[in-house]
Amino acid sequence: MLKSLSRIVSATARISSVSSSSRVLEPLVRSRLCSPGSATIRPFTRSLWMMSKSGPGHRPGLFTTCGRVPPVSCGCGGLHTEGDKAFVEFLSDEIKEEKKIQKNTSLPKLSGGWEIELNGTEAKLSRTVGGEKVSVTFNINNSIPPTFEEEPESGQKAEENEPEIVSTPNFVVEVTKPSSKHSLVFDCHYPEDEAGRGDGEEESDIFAIREVSFQPVGESDWKETSYTLNTDSLDWALYDHMMDFLADRGVDNTFADELVELSTALEHQEYIKFLEDLSSFVKCS
Amino acid sequence: MSLVLRNLQRVVPLRRARLRHDVELLRRIARIEKFDLGLVCVDNRRIQRINSIYRRINMPTDVLSFPFYEASCCDNLTSLTSDLPRDELNLGDIFLGVEYILTQCQESSEDFYSNLTVITLHGICHLLGYKHGSDDKWIEMFQKEKHILSEFNRLTGSRLEPLTTRFSS
């Protein structure tokens, strides 16, 4: 997970830098080379210029708001519009509804003696097993898979079919033996269900290992030069041995189910907090 | 071809590598390694549901087999491997009610993994078309299981007996 995240971030940075530089360069080149009558760039910039100009016969500005701006009453200097007011009212209702359906205000506990550390959307679970340190890290961001609502059956209301929101985050298991310079790291995930028999029963393992690697102890950055084993084309017997290895250290199907409950509760908690922060930001009070 | 193992339950701590090792040996002895085979470990709730849907018996059980081919193919299947396209080299799926099996083992003080192996072989024989509904069919299935388990016992030092022994009509 860590490695794939860093790869995504660096790829995005590369793409955005390439595209932004091309957008900057192209118009400059064209404006020198293009004739005054060229229709490529000028009509757009002229229309922008006209829209921003004030004076008689001038049409309403592109960058002025269409609605009336109520007078600022809080003295914050920020914008307060009718839209903002409606937004805040909507958020107030939304927060009430979310709190109503919130299963627990406190996070569920995991069996197996796991200690939990929270850092915003990231959670780290730790325990010691026979001298080995085992930690499981996950992030609730982007942890809710898309659900596709089915057509309601005859006689059944549509609301009864509404799927429950469940957070199934990717998680990274690190196993560190005493006096070892490297941790054995497993990148795990909750697989999408394989095709069932039409009886609604899923047939995937509850969780699966995606990648395995040795990483230096105490370093937060992923070491790209460490060999990473991908399980896509792995010998099944080796895979099963690794699953048994994890199970012996408390990362088994029971743990995976409890992690989903914890992650779902944490995600809901953070979502409500976000709505409250959003309401405060928009309301400015 | 592959043995696909899935563990969908959390009631019974399962040693996946051990189960795979034993079943792979059974496949080799039965000469069905070329066929894909699915092995799904489930709890009582799920096996009862499947039993209810497909056999109209609303109770948990030890094993349910879903063959890819019609029962009439039986042992001829193993000789058809050269005629079948690769994606049709599939025996089917076996659902193991591991919670049910564990309870039975605890009641009779038997080894859980030995029973898993015997019950899986029983399921494999059903996928190959063997049944035990009549005396003749029971004898045929018993002999098949006995033959495979004899070789398994010789190779592993185990002393496993066919499950069909318990189905005497």
Side-chain angles (χ1 to χ4, degrees), chain A residues 194 197 199 201-205 236 240-241 244 248 253-254 257, chain B residues 5-10 14-17 20 46 49 53-54 93 95:
Chain A
E194 292 167 356
R197 301 189 170 279
D199 56 4
E201 295 282 352
E202 59 277 7
E203 290 187 12
S204 310
D205 276 329
W236 288 107
D240 284 340
H241 276 293
D244 288 344
D248 286 340
N253 284 349
T254 300
D257 277 347
Chain B
L5 173 60
R6 294 281 182 263
N7 180 17
L8 309 190
Q9 55 81 43
R10 47 186 271 189
L14 194 74
R15 299 277 91 188
R16 295 172 65 119
R20 176 177 293 276
R46 207 174 294 228
R49 184 171 148 77
I53 291 170
Y54 292 96
D93 297 325
F95 282 74

PDB file of all heavy atoms in Angstrom, chain A residues 194 197 199 201-205 236 240-241 244 248 253-254 257, chain B residues 5-10 14-17 20 46 49 53-54 93 95:
ATOM      1  N   GLU A 194     -15.901 -12.973  -5.760  1.00  0.00           N
ATOM      2  CA  GLU A 194     -15.933 -13.751  -6.989  1.00  0.00           C
ATOM      3  C   GLU A 194     -17.376 -14.089  -7.297  1.00  0.00           C
ATOM      4  O   GLU A 194     -18.243 -13.965  -6.446  1.00  0.00           O
ATOM      5  CB  GLU A 194     -15.116 -15.031  -6.800  1.00  0.00           C
ATOM      6  CG  GLU A 194     -13.642 -14.751  -6.648  1.00  0.00           C
ATOM      7  CD  GLU A 194     -12.886 -15.967  -6.153  1.00  0.00           C
ATOM      8  OE1 GLU A 194     -13.507 -16.997  -5.866  1.00  0.00           O
ATOM      9  OE2 GLU A 194     -11.669 -15.871  -6.043  1.00  0.00           O
ATOM     10  N   ARG A 197     -23.028 -18.248  -6.577  1.00  0.00           N
ATOM     11  CA  ARG A 197     -23.911 -19.220  -7.213  1.00  0.00           C
ATOM     12  C   ARG A 197     -25.294 -18.637  -7.438  1.00  0.00           C
ATOM     13  O   ARG A 197     -26.240 -19.358  -7.650  1.00  0.00           O
ATOM     14  CB  ARG A 197     -24.019 -20.463  -6.325  1.00  0.00           C
ATOM     15  CG  ARG A 197     -22.687 -21.074  -6.092  1.00  0.00           C
ATOM     16  CD  ARG A 197     -22.801 -22.427  -5.411  1.00  0.00           C
ATOM     17  NE  ARG A 197     -21.525 -23.066  -5.436  1.00  0.00           N
ATOM     18  CZ  ARG A 197     -21.045 -23.710  -6.482  1.00  0.00           C
ATOM     19  NH1 ARG A 197     -21.752 -23.807  -7.568  1.00  0.00           N
ATOM     20  NH2 ARG A 197     -19.851 -24.255  -6.474  1.00  0.00           N
ATOM     21  N   ASP A 199     -26.927 -17.208  -5.167  1.00  0.00           N
ATOM     22  CA  ASP A 199     -27.671 -17.198  -3.913  1.00  0.00           C
ATOM     23  C   ASP A 199     -27.213 -16.046  -3.028  1.00  0.00           C
ATOM     24  O   ASP A 199     -27.496 -16.018  -1.845  1.00  0.00           O
ATOM     25  CB  ASP A 199     -27.503 -18.533  -3.187  1.00  0.00           C
ATOM     26  CG  ASP A 199     -26.036 -18.879  -2.939  1.00  0.00           C
ATOM     27  OD1 ASP A 199     -25.160 -18.054  -3.271  1.00  0.00           O
ATOM     28  OD2 ASP A 199     -25.772 -19.967  -2.429  1.00  0.00           O
ATOM     29  N   GLU A 201     -24.253 -15.408  -1.991  1.00  0.00           N
ATOM     30  CA  GLU A 201     -23.148 -15.736  -1.115  1.00  0.00           C
ATOM     31  C   GLU A 201     -21.827 -15.477  -1.835  1.00  0.00           C
ATOM     32  O   GLU A 201     -21.616 -15.940  -2.946  1.00  0.00           O
ATOM     33  CB  GLU A 201     -23.205 -17.213  -0.701  1.00  0.00           C
ATOM     34  CG  GLU A 201     -24.400 -17.573   0.150  1.00  0.00           C
ATOM     35  CD  GLU A 201     -24.232 -17.153   1.602  1.00  0.00           C
ATOM     36  OE1 GLU A 201     -23.149 -16.719   1.991  1.00  0.00           O
ATOM     37  OE2 GLU A 201     -25.228 -17.245   2.340  1.00  0.00           O
ATOM     38  N   GLU A 202     -20.920 -14.730  -1.140  1.00  0.00           N
ATOM     39  CA  GLU A 202     -19.628 -14.492  -1.769  1.00  0.00           C
ATOM     40  C   GLU A 202     -18.748 -15.715  -1.617  1.00  0.00           C
ATOM     41  O   GLU A 202     -18.925 -16.515  -0.717  1.00  0.00           O
ATOM     42  CB  GLU A 202     -18.958 -13.253  -1.141  1.00  0.00           C
ATOM     43  CG  GLU A 202     -18.710 -13.340   0.343  1.00  0.00           C
ATOM     44  CD  GLU A 202     -19.920 -12.988   1.185  1.00  0.00           C
ATOM     45  OE1 GLU A 202     -21.011 -12.796   0.626  1.00  0.00           O
ATOM     46  OE2 GLU A 202     -19.787 -12.944   2.407  1.00  0.00           O
ATOM     47  N   GLU A 203     -17.748 -15.888  -2.496  1.00  0.00           N
ATOM     48  CA  GLU A 203     -16.866 -17.041  -2.454  1.00  0.00           C
ATOM     49  C   GLU A 203     -15.409 -16.645  -2.490  1.00  0.00           C
ATOM     50  O   GLU A 203     -14.561 -17.431  -2.904  1.00  0.00           O
ATOM     51  CB  GLU A 203     -17.188 -17.991  -3.609  1.00  0.00           C
ATOM     52  CG  GLU A 203     -18.522 -18.693  -3.429  1.00  0.00           C
ATOM     53  CD  GLU A 203     -18.786 -19.753  -4.465  1.00  0.00           C
ATOM     54  OE1 GLU A 203     -17.863 -20.131  -5.210  1.00  0.00           O
ATOM     55  OE2 GLU A 203     -19.939 -20.192  -4.559  1.00  0.00           O
ATOM     56  N   SER A 204     -15.092 -15.419  -2.093  1.00  0.00           N
ATOM     57  CA  SER A 204     -13.686 -15.028  -2.015  1.00  0.00           C
ATOM     58  C   SER A 204     -13.221 -15.273  -0.595  1.00  0.00           C
ATOM     59  O   SER A 204     -14.018 -15.286   0.345  1.00  0.00           O
ATOM     60  CB  SER A 204     -13.531 -13.546  -2.319  1.00  0.00           C
ATOM     61  OG  SER A 204     -14.193 -13.183  -3.482  1.00  0.00           O
ATOM     62  N   ASP A 205     -11.903 -15.404  -0.434  1.00  0.00           N
ATOM     63  CA  ASP A 205     -11.342 -15.372   0.910  1.00  0.00           C
ATOM     64  C   ASP A 205     -11.722 -14.036   1.542  1.00  0.00           C
ATOM     65  O   ASP A 205     -11.911 -13.043   0.846  1.00  0.00           O
ATOM     66  CB  ASP A 205      -9.813 -15.464   0.849  1.00  0.00           C
ATOM     67  CG  ASP A 205      -9.346 -16.910   0.756  1.00  0.00           C
ATOM     68  OD1 ASP A 205     -10.041 -17.781   1.295  1.00  0.00           O
ATOM     69  OD2 ASP A 205      -8.283 -17.147   0.154  1.00  0.00           O
ATOM     70  N   TRP A 236       0.447 -21.576  -5.163  1.00  0.00           N
ATOM     71  CA  TRP A 236      -0.629 -21.567  -4.172  1.00  0.00           C
ATOM     72  C   TRP A 236      -0.167 -22.109  -2.813  1.00  0.00           C
ATOM     73  O   TRP A 236      -0.606 -21.643  -1.770  1.00  0.00           O
ATOM     74  CB  TRP A 236      -1.800 -22.416  -4.658  1.00  0.00           C
ATOM     75  CG  TRP A 236      -2.580 -21.794  -5.775  1.00  0.00           C
ATOM     76  CD1 TRP A 236      -2.574 -22.167  -7.082  1.00  0.00           C
ATOM     77  CD2 TRP A 236      -3.482 -20.683  -5.680  1.00  0.00           C
ATOM     78  NE1 TRP A 236      -3.414 -21.356  -7.807  1.00  0.00           N
ATOM     79  CE2 TRP A 236      -3.987 -20.451  -6.985  1.00  0.00           C
ATOM     80  CE3 TRP A 236      -3.914 -19.869  -4.633  1.00  0.00           C
ATOM     81  CZ2 TRP A 236      -4.891 -19.435  -7.262  1.00  0.00           C
ATOM     82  CZ3 TRP A 236      -4.820 -18.861  -4.909  1.00  0.00           C
ATOM     83  CH2 TRP A 236      -5.300 -18.650  -6.212  1.00  0.00           C
ATOM     84  N   ASP A 240      -0.482 -20.224   0.747  1.00  0.00           N
ATOM     85  CA  ASP A 240      -1.163 -20.765   1.927  1.00  0.00           C
ATOM     86  C   ASP A 240      -0.247 -20.767   3.148  1.00  0.00           C
ATOM     87  O   ASP A 240      -0.692 -20.517   4.274  1.00  0.00           O
ATOM     88  CB  ASP A 240      -1.682 -22.179   1.644  1.00  0.00           C
ATOM     89  CG  ASP A 240      -2.932 -22.172   0.780  1.00  0.00           C
ATOM     90  OD1 ASP A 240      -3.605 -21.123   0.722  1.00  0.00           O
ATOM     91  OD2 ASP A 240      -3.234 -23.209   0.159  1.00  0.00           O
ATOM     92  N   HIS A 241       1.023 -21.030   2.940  1.00  0.00           N
ATOM     93  CA  HIS A 241       1.973 -20.970   4.061  1.00  0.00           C
ATOM     94  C   HIS A 241       2.038 -19.559   4.626  1.00  0.00           C
ATOM     95  O   HIS A 241       2.120 -19.367   5.847  1.00  0.00           O
ATOM     96  CB  HIS A 241       3.368 -21.434   3.625  1.00  0.00           C
ATOM     97  CG  HIS A 241       3.548 -22.926   3.657  1.00  0.00           C
ATOM     98  ND1 HIS A 241       3.536 -23.645   4.834  1.00  0.00           N
ATOM     99  CD2 HIS A 241       3.728 -23.821   2.666  1.00  0.00           C
ATOM    100  CE1 HIS A 241       3.699 -24.934   4.554  1.00  0.00           C
ATOM    101  NE2 HIS A 241       3.820 -25.069   3.247  1.00  0.00           N
ATOM    102  N   ASP A 244      -1.039 -18.913   6.670  1.00  0.00           N
ATOM    103  CA  ASP A 244      -0.925 -19.595   7.964  1.00  0.00           C
ATOM    104  C   ASP A 244       0.025 -18.818   8.879  1.00  0.00           C
ATOM    105  O   ASP A 244      -0.201 -18.717  10.091  1.00  0.00           O
ATOM    106  CB  ASP A 244      -0.405 -21.030   7.783  1.00  0.00           C
ATOM    107  CG  ASP A 244      -1.442 -21.972   7.165  1.00  0.00           C
ATOM    108  OD1 ASP A 244      -2.643 -21.613   7.158  1.00  0.00           O
ATOM    109  OD2 ASP A 244      -1.051 -23.062   6.690  1.00  0.00           O
ATOM    110  N   ASP A 248      -1.053 -17.307  12.551  1.00  0.00           N
ATOM    111  CA  ASP A 248      -0.358 -17.606  13.806  1.00  0.00           C
ATOM    112  C   ASP A 248      -0.022 -16.343  14.588  1.00  0.00           C
ATOM    113  O   ASP A 248       0.219 -16.403  15.793  1.00  0.00           O
ATOM    114  CB  ASP A 248       0.945 -18.372  13.524  1.00  0.00           C
ATOM    115  CG  ASP A 248       0.681 -19.818  13.117  1.00  0.00           C
ATOM    116  OD1 ASP A 248      -0.414 -20.327  13.418  1.00  0.00           O
ATOM    117  OD2 ASP A 248       1.575 -20.439  12.490  1.00  0.00           O
ATOM    118  N   ASN A 253      -9.032 -14.634   9.750  1.00  0.00           N
ATOM    119  CA  ASN A 253     -10.339 -14.166   9.281  1.00  0.00           C
ATOM    120  C   ASN A 253     -11.106 -13.410  10.362  1.00  0.00           C
ATOM    121  O   ASN A 253     -11.822 -12.450  10.067  1.00  0.00           O
ATOM    122  CB  ASN A 253     -11.171 -15.361   8.793  1.00  0.00           C
ATOM    123  CG  ASN A 253     -10.723 -15.857   7.429  1.00  0.00           C
ATOM    124  OD1 ASN A 253      -9.936 -15.206   6.750  1.00  0.00           O
ATOM    125  ND2 ASN A 253     -11.227 -17.016   7.035  1.00  0.00           N
ATOM    126  N   THR A 254     -10.947 -13.819  11.592  1.00  0.00           N
ATOM    127  CA  THR A 254     -11.617 -13.104  12.688  1.00  0.00           C
ATOM    128  C   THR A 254     -11.089 -11.674  12.776  1.00  0.00           C
ATOM    129  O   THR A 254     -11.853 -10.710  12.864  1.00  0.00           O
ATOM    130  CB  THR A 254     -11.384 -13.823  14.027  1.00  0.00           C
ATOM    131  OG1 THR A 254     -11.912 -15.143  13.937  1.00  0.00           O
ATOM    132  CG2 THR A 254     -12.049 -13.091  15.178  1.00  0.00           C
ATOM    133  N   ASP A 257     -12.386  -9.540   9.856  1.00  0.00           N
ATOM    134  CA  ASP A 257     -13.772  -9.094  10.056  1.00  0.00           C
ATOM    135  C   ASP A 257     -13.836  -7.959  11.068  1.00  0.00           C
ATOM    136  O   ASP A 257     -14.558  -6.965  10.871  1.00  0.00           O
ATOM    137  CB  ASP A 257     -14.646 -10.264  10.551  1.00  0.00           C
ATOM    138  CG  ASP A 257     -15.137 -11.145   9.401  1.00  0.00           C
ATOM    139  OD1 ASP A 257     -15.020 -10.714   8.230  1.00  0.00           O
ATOM    140  OD2 ASP A 257     -15.632 -12.254   9.683  1.00  0.00           O
TER     141      ASP A 257
ATOM    142  N   LEU B   5      -8.280 -22.964  -3.138  1.00  0.00           N
ATOM    143  CA  LEU B   5      -8.750 -23.143  -1.767  1.00  0.00           C
ATOM    144  C   LEU B   5      -9.250 -21.811  -1.223  1.00  0.00           C
ATOM    145  O   LEU B   5      -8.573 -20.795  -1.333  1.00  0.00           O
ATOM    146  CB  LEU B   5      -7.588 -23.663  -0.896  1.00  0.00           C
ATOM    147  CG  LEU B   5      -7.799 -23.778   0.605  1.00  0.00           C
ATOM    148  CD1 LEU B   5      -8.936 -24.727   0.930  1.00  0.00           C
ATOM    149  CD2 LEU B   5      -6.511 -24.267   1.274  1.00  0.00           C
ATOM    150  N   ARG B   6     -10.428 -21.813  -0.651  1.00  0.00           N
ATOM    151  CA  ARG B   6     -10.996 -20.615  -0.061  1.00  0.00           C
ATOM    152  C   ARG B   6     -11.457 -20.938   1.362  1.00  0.00           C
ATOM    153  O   ARG B   6     -12.085 -21.969   1.593  1.00  0.00           O
ATOM    154  CB  ARG B   6     -12.206 -20.130  -0.877  1.00  0.00           C
ATOM    155  CG  ARG B   6     -11.857 -19.649  -2.270  1.00  0.00           C
ATOM    156  CD  ARG B   6     -11.286 -18.265  -2.253  1.00  0.00           C
ATOM    157  NE  ARG B   6     -10.988 -17.796  -3.601  1.00  0.00           N
ATOM    158  CZ  ARG B   6      -9.798 -17.849  -4.181  1.00  0.00           C
ATOM    159  NH1 ARG B   6      -8.767 -18.373  -3.532  1.00  0.00           N
ATOM    160  NH2 ARG B   6      -9.627 -17.398  -5.394  1.00  0.00           N
ATOM    161  N   ASN B   7     -11.160 -20.045   2.271  1.00  0.00           N
ATOM    162  CA  ASN B   7     -11.619 -20.200   3.651  1.00  0.00           C
ATOM    163  C   ASN B   7     -12.535 -19.032   3.976  1.00  0.00           C
ATOM    164  O   ASN B   7     -12.078 -17.914   4.184  1.00  0.00           O
ATOM    165  CB  ASN B   7     -10.419 -20.232   4.602  1.00  0.00           C
ATOM    166  CG  ASN B   7     -10.835 -20.380   6.051  1.00  0.00           C
ATOM    167  OD1 ASN B   7     -11.971 -20.776   6.344  1.00  0.00           O
ATOM    168  ND2 ASN B   7      -9.938 -20.076   6.965  1.00  0.00           N
ATOM    169  N   LEU B   8     -13.840 -19.295   3.989  1.00  0.00           N
ATOM    170  CA  LEU B   8     -14.809 -18.214   4.159  1.00  0.00           C
ATOM    171  C   LEU B   8     -15.310 -18.109   5.589  1.00  0.00           C
ATOM    172  O   LEU B   8     -16.232 -17.333   5.852  1.00  0.00           O
ATOM    173  CB  LEU B   8     -16.020 -18.444   3.239  1.00  0.00           C
ATOM    174  CG  LEU B   8     -15.762 -18.720   1.771  1.00  0.00           C
ATOM    175  CD1 LEU B   8     -17.069 -18.659   1.001  1.00  0.00           C
ATOM    176  CD2 LEU B   8     -14.774 -17.739   1.184  1.00  0.00           C
ATOM    177  N   GLN B   9     -14.731 -18.880   6.490  1.00  0.00           N
ATOM    178  CA  GLN B   9     -15.278 -18.899   7.841  1.00  0.00           C
ATOM    179  C   GLN B   9     -14.214 -18.521   8.863  1.00  0.00           C
ATOM    180  O   GLN B   9     -13.003 -18.546   8.570  1.00  0.00           O
ATOM    181  CB  GLN B   9     -15.840 -20.306   8.140  1.00  0.00           C
ATOM    182  CG  GLN B   9     -14.860 -21.438   7.945  1.00  0.00           C
ATOM    183  CD  GLN B   9     -13.917 -21.641   9.106  1.00  0.00           C
ATOM    184  OE1 GLN B   9     -14.344 -21.595  10.261  1.00  0.00           O
ATOM    185  NE2 GLN B   9     -12.644 -21.873   8.848  1.00  0.00           N
ATOM    186  N   ARG B  10     -14.678 -18.189  10.058  1.00  0.00           N
ATOM    187  CA  ARG B  10     -13.748 -17.798  11.114  1.00  0.00           C
ATOM    188  C   ARG B  10     -13.949 -18.629  12.387  1.00  0.00           C
ATOM    189  O   ARG B  10     -13.352 -18.356  13.409  1.00  0.00           O
ATOM    190  CB  ARG B  10     -13.911 -16.308  11.438  1.00  0.00           C
ATOM    191  CG  ARG B  10     -15.356 -15.871  11.616  1.00  0.00           C
ATOM    192  CD  ARG B  10     -15.502 -14.387  11.793  1.00  0.00           C
ATOM    193  NE  ARG B  10     -15.410 -14.008  13.194  1.00  0.00           N
ATOM    194  CZ  ARG B  10     -15.671 -12.801  13.666  1.00  0.00           C
ATOM    195  NH1 ARG B  10     -16.010 -11.841  12.852  1.00  0.00           N
ATOM    196  NH2 ARG B  10     -15.557 -12.534  14.955  1.00  0.00           N
ATOM    197  N   LEU B  14      -7.957 -22.679  10.607  1.00  0.00           N
ATOM    198  CA  LEU B  14      -7.662 -23.659   9.567  1.00  0.00           C
ATOM    199  C   LEU B  14      -6.218 -23.550   9.096  1.00  0.00           C
ATOM    200  O   LEU B  14      -5.737 -22.456   8.821  1.00  0.00           O
ATOM    201  CB  LEU B  14      -8.607 -23.411   8.382  1.00  0.00           C
ATOM    202  CG  LEU B  14      -8.689 -24.523   7.342  1.00  0.00           C
ATOM    203  CD1 LEU B  14      -9.478 -25.690   7.875  1.00  0.00           C
ATOM    204  CD2 LEU B  14      -9.331 -23.987   6.072  1.00  0.00           C
ATOM    205  N   ARG B  15      -5.530 -24.679   8.994  1.00  0.00           N
ATOM    206  CA  ARG B  15      -4.174 -24.731   8.441  1.00  0.00           C
ATOM    207  C   ARG B  15      -4.322 -24.973   6.947  1.00  0.00           C
ATOM    208  O   ARG B  15      -4.533 -26.109   6.494  1.00  0.00           O
ATOM    209  CB  ARG B  15      -3.390 -25.891   9.064  1.00  0.00           C
ATOM    210  CG  ARG B  15      -3.211 -25.800  10.560  1.00  0.00           C
ATOM    211  CD  ARG B  15      -2.056 -24.926  10.926  1.00  0.00           C
ATOM    212  NE  ARG B  15      -2.490 -23.546  11.115  1.00  0.00           N
ATOM    213  CZ  ARG B  15      -1.675 -22.531  11.301  1.00  0.00           C
ATOM    214  NH1 ARG B  15      -0.381 -22.718  11.324  1.00  0.00           N
ATOM    215  NH2 ARG B  15      -2.149 -21.323  11.468  1.00  0.00           N
ATOM    216  N   ARG B  16      -4.225 -23.937   6.197  1.00  0.00           N
ATOM    217  CA  ARG B  16      -4.464 -24.028   4.757  1.00  0.00           C
ATOM    218  C   ARG B  16      -3.419 -24.895   4.078  1.00  0.00           C
ATOM    219  O   ARG B  16      -3.730 -25.705   3.209  1.00  0.00           O
ATOM    220  CB  ARG B  16      -4.447 -22.637   4.132  1.00  0.00           C
ATOM    221  CG  ARG B  16      -5.558 -21.726   4.588  1.00  0.00           C
ATOM    222  CD  ARG B  16      -5.360 -20.334   4.077  1.00  0.00           C
ATOM    223  NE  ARG B  16      -5.447 -20.262   2.642  1.00  0.00           N
ATOM    224  CZ  ARG B  16      -6.343 -19.537   1.982  1.00  0.00           C
ATOM    225  NH1 ARG B  16      -7.233 -18.835   2.656  1.00  0.00           N
ATOM    226  NH2 ARG B  16      -6.336 -19.499   0.671  1.00  0.00           N
ATOM    227  N   ALA B  17      -2.153 -24.705   4.463  1.00  0.00           N
ATOM    228  CA  ALA B  17      -1.068 -25.432   3.796  1.00  0.00           C
ATOM    229  C   ALA B  17      -1.221 -26.937   4.010  1.00  0.00           C
ATOM    230  O   ALA B  17      -0.976 -27.732   3.095  1.00  0.00           O
ATOM    231  CB  ALA B  17       0.281 -24.940   4.319  1.00  0.00           C
ATOM    232  N   ARG B  20      -4.129 -28.236   1.845  1.00  0.00           N
ATOM    233  CA  ARG B  20      -3.733 -28.241   0.437  1.00  0.00           C
ATOM    234  C   ARG B  20      -2.793 -29.410   0.150  1.00  0.00           C
ATOM    235  O   ARG B  20      -2.941 -30.107  -0.854  1.00  0.00           O
ATOM    236  CB  ARG B  20      -3.059 -26.902   0.066  1.00  0.00           C
ATOM    237  CG  ARG B  20      -2.530 -26.879  -1.357  1.00  0.00           C
ATOM    238  CD  ARG B  20      -1.939 -25.529  -1.698  1.00  0.00           C
ATOM    239  NE  ARG B  20      -2.950 -24.501  -1.749  1.00  0.00           N
ATOM    240  CZ  ARG B  20      -3.711 -24.253  -2.812  1.00  0.00           C
ATOM    241  NH1 ARG B  20      -3.563 -24.966  -3.905  1.00  0.00           N
ATOM    242  NH2 ARG B  20      -4.614 -23.303  -2.781  1.00  0.00           N
ATOM    243  N   ARG B  46     -23.459 -21.251   6.716  1.00  0.00           N
ATOM    244  CA  ARG B  46     -23.391 -21.212   5.254  1.00  0.00           C
ATOM    245  C   ARG B  46     -23.670 -22.574   4.628  1.00  0.00           C
ATOM    246  O   ARG B  46     -24.357 -22.664   3.612  1.00  0.00           O
ATOM    247  CB  ARG B  46     -22.028 -20.700   4.805  1.00  0.00           C
ATOM    248  CG  ARG B  46     -22.066 -20.014   3.447  1.00  0.00           C
ATOM    249  CD  ARG B  46     -20.747 -19.400   3.120  1.00  0.00           C
ATOM    250  NE  ARG B  46     -20.435 -18.312   4.022  1.00  0.00           N
ATOM    251  CZ  ARG B  46     -20.006 -17.121   3.616  1.00  0.00           C
ATOM    252  NH1 ARG B  46     -19.901 -16.855   2.345  1.00  0.00           N
ATOM    253  NH2 ARG B  46     -19.690 -16.201   4.491  1.00  0.00           N
ATOM    254  N   ARG B  49     -27.313 -23.247   4.713  1.00  0.00           N
ATOM    255  CA  ARG B  49     -28.028 -22.461   3.693  1.00  0.00           C
ATOM    256  C   ARG B  49     -27.919 -23.129   2.322  1.00  0.00           C
ATOM    257  O   ARG B  49     -28.885 -23.250   1.589  1.00  0.00           O
ATOM    258  CB  ARG B  49     -27.439 -21.057   3.672  1.00  0.00           C
ATOM    259  CG  ARG B  49     -28.112 -20.092   2.760  1.00  0.00           C
ATOM    260  CD  ARG B  49     -27.591 -18.672   2.985  1.00  0.00           C
ATOM    261  NE  ARG B  49     -27.588 -17.887   1.762  1.00  0.00           N
ATOM    262  CZ  ARG B  49     -28.655 -17.340   1.198  1.00  0.00           C
ATOM    263  NH1 ARG B  49     -29.820 -17.468   1.748  1.00  0.00           N
ATOM    264  NH2 ARG B  49     -28.546 -16.652   0.077  1.00  0.00           N
ATOM    265  N   ILE B  53     -30.865 -24.808   0.049  1.00  0.00           N
ATOM    266  CA  ILE B  53     -31.174 -24.356  -1.314  1.00  0.00           C
ATOM    267  C   ILE B  53     -31.104 -25.514  -2.311  1.00  0.00           C
ATOM    268  O   ILE B  53     -31.987 -25.680  -3.147  1.00  0.00           O
ATOM    269  CB  ILE B  53     -30.201 -23.233  -1.752  1.00  0.00           C
ATOM    270  CG1 ILE B  53     -30.459 -21.960  -0.945  1.00  0.00           C
ATOM    271  CG2 ILE B  53     -30.330 -22.935  -3.245  1.00  0.00           C
ATOM    272  CD1 ILE B  53     -29.399 -20.881  -1.126  1.00  0.00           C
ATOM    273  N   TYR B  54     -30.052 -26.309  -2.227  1.00  0.00           N
ATOM    274  CA  TYR B  54     -29.799 -27.280  -3.293  1.00  0.00           C
ATOM    275  C   TYR B  54     -30.305 -28.693  -3.000  1.00  0.00           C
ATOM    276  O   TYR B  54     -30.482 -29.480  -3.919  1.00  0.00           O
ATOM    277  CB  TYR B  54     -28.302 -27.316  -3.623  1.00  0.00           C
ATOM    278  CG  TYR B  54     -27.834 -26.028  -4.257  1.00  0.00           C
ATOM    279  CD1 TYR B  54     -27.254 -25.028  -3.486  1.00  0.00           C
ATOM    280  CD2 TYR B  54     -28.012 -25.800  -5.620  1.00  0.00           C
ATOM    281  CE1 TYR B  54     -26.855 -23.831  -4.064  1.00  0.00           C
ATOM    282  CE2 TYR B  54     -27.607 -24.603  -6.204  1.00  0.00           C
ATOM    283  CZ  TYR B  54     -27.041 -23.623  -5.419  1.00  0.00           C
ATOM    284  OH  TYR B  54     -26.650 -22.446  -5.995  1.00  0.00           O
ATOM    285  N   ASP B  93     -16.713 -27.931  -7.630  1.00  0.00           N
ATOM    286  CA  ASP B  93     -16.407 -27.354  -6.318  1.00  0.00           C
ATOM    287  C   ASP B  93     -16.880 -28.258  -5.188  1.00  0.00           C
ATOM    288  O   ASP B  93     -17.930 -28.896  -5.293  1.00  0.00           O
ATOM    289  CB  ASP B  93     -17.087 -25.988  -6.155  1.00  0.00           C
ATOM    290  CG  ASP B  93     -16.579 -24.985  -7.169  1.00  0.00           C
ATOM    291  OD1 ASP B  93     -15.390 -25.046  -7.507  1.00  0.00           O
ATOM    292  OD2 ASP B  93     -17.388 -24.155  -7.618  1.00  0.00           O
ATOM    293  N   PHE B  95     -17.725 -28.002  -1.103  1.00  0.00           N
ATOM    294  CA  PHE B  95     -17.899 -27.158   0.083  1.00  0.00           C
ATOM    295  C   PHE B  95     -17.722 -28.035   1.325  1.00  0.00           C
ATOM    296  O   PHE B  95     -18.434 -29.024   1.497  1.00  0.00           O
ATOM    297  CB  PHE B  95     -19.294 -26.523   0.085  1.00  0.00           C
ATOM    298  CG  PHE B  95     -19.407 -25.345  -0.837  1.00  0.00           C
ATOM    299  CD1 PHE B  95     -19.474 -25.528  -2.209  1.00  0.00           C
ATOM    300  CD2 PHE B  95     -19.433 -24.062  -0.347  1.00  0.00           C
ATOM    301  CE1 PHE B  95     -19.560 -24.445  -3.072  1.00  0.00           C
ATOM    302  CE2 PHE B  95     -19.526 -22.965  -1.201  1.00  0.00           C
ATOM    303  CZ  PHE B  95     -19.589 -23.161  -2.558  1.00  0.00           C
TER     304      PHE B  95
END
